[in-house]
């Protein structure tokens, strides 16, 4: 299966990064997916969705900090599990969608880590929503999985300009998150 995923990537750097993630985190992804879906077949489907999302975002995934990488992968797995369960529930009873993701068991037992991650996600979402439209639109479409060519077509821009705007938006977001992270950590240390 690894070879199938690697064939979807372009550069040797991307392939190397993905292979490291695949080899080190497949067990964690399957375990997390199985604990949420409680079904081996569904856990495998969830893992496949997670790997495809990792491939689509391989250039933005930071691997330097194993704890953050693990947290990101667990979050991705949790959201993929919720999506799958919503789809299954919708097929069983279309009028009774799952409305509250909090009903699923927490993946981590570290409450501080959960709160910290939740705060950072909220801050990032707020920051992106306040970005200039010329950066927000391409970044949002990229996060949703659209390819550069599709984004350029949708926004009426050249592919080169689309890449530049997405890159700049990612850099702005990354800088903002790092700034907010250090601020939250400082506040936590003072307490």
């Amino acid at each position: 299966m690894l070879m199938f995923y690697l064939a979807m990537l372009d550069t040797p750097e991307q392939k190397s990064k993905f292979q490291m993630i695949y080899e080190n985190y497949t067990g964690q992804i399957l375990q997390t997916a199985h604990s949420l879906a409680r079904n081996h077949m569904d856990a495998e489907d969830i893992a496949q969705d997670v790997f495809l999302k990792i491939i689509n975002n391989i250039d933005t995934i930071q691997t330097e900090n194993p704890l953050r990488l693990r947290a990101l992968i667990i979050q991705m797995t949790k959201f993929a599990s919720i999506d799958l369960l919503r789809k299954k529930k919708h097929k069983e009873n279309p009028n009774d969608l799952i409305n509250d993701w909090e009903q699923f068991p927490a993946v981590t037992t570290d409450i501080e880590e959960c709160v910290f991650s939740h705060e950072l996600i909220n801050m990032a979402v707020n920051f992106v929503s306040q970005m200039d439209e010329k950066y927000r639109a391409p970044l949002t479409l990229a996060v949703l999985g659209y390819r550069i060519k599709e984004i350029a077509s949708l926004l009426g821009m050249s592919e080169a300009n689309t890449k530049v705007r997405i890159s700049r938006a990612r850099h702005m977001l990354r800088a903002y998150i790092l700034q907010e992270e250090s601020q939250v950590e400082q506040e936590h240390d003072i307490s």
Side-chain angles (χ1 to χ4, degrees), residues 90-143:
H90 182 66
K91 284 181 181 175
E92 291 171 12
N93 186 356
N95 297 322
D96 188 27
L97 293 174
I98 300 173
N99 294 318
D100 190 4
W101 66 271
E102 293 173 357
Q103 70 179 319
F104 296 100
V107 176
T108 180
T109 57
D110 185 356
I111 299 301
E112 282 186 26
E113 183 182 325
C114 283
V115 170
F116 185 68
S117 294
H118 185 70
E119 286 176 10
L120 283 176
I121 290 169
N122 284 337
M123 286 187 270
V125 169
N126 287 336
F127 180 77
V128 170
S129 70
Q130 294 172 7
M131 271 184 175
D132 186 320
E133 180 67 21
K134 70 181 184 179
Y135 297 114
R136 182 178 61 239
L139 178 64
T140 302
L141 291 170
V143 169

Side-chain angles (χ1 to χ4, degrees), residues 3-56:
M3 298 311 273
F4 170 76
Y5 292 128
L6 291 177
M8 298 172 75
L9 295 164
D10 298 325
T11 68
E13 294 82 19
Q14 291 174 333
K15 291 178 183 194
S16 175
K17 185 190 283 190
F18 182 83
Q19 185 170 355
M20 183 278 296
I21 292 170
Y22 185 88
E23 289 172 353
N24 292 316
Y25 295 96
T26 299
Q28 182 72 52
I29 291 169
L30 287 169
Q31 179 184 3
T32 303
H34 193 272
S35 72
L36 295 169
R38 305 200 192 294
N39 175 317
H40 181 69
M41 297 290 283
D42 287 346
E44 288 185 1
D45 288 345
I46 291 165
Q48 184 175 1
D49 287 347
V50 171
F51 287 128
L52 292 174
K53 286 178 184 170
I54 290 171
I55 287 170
N56 287 334

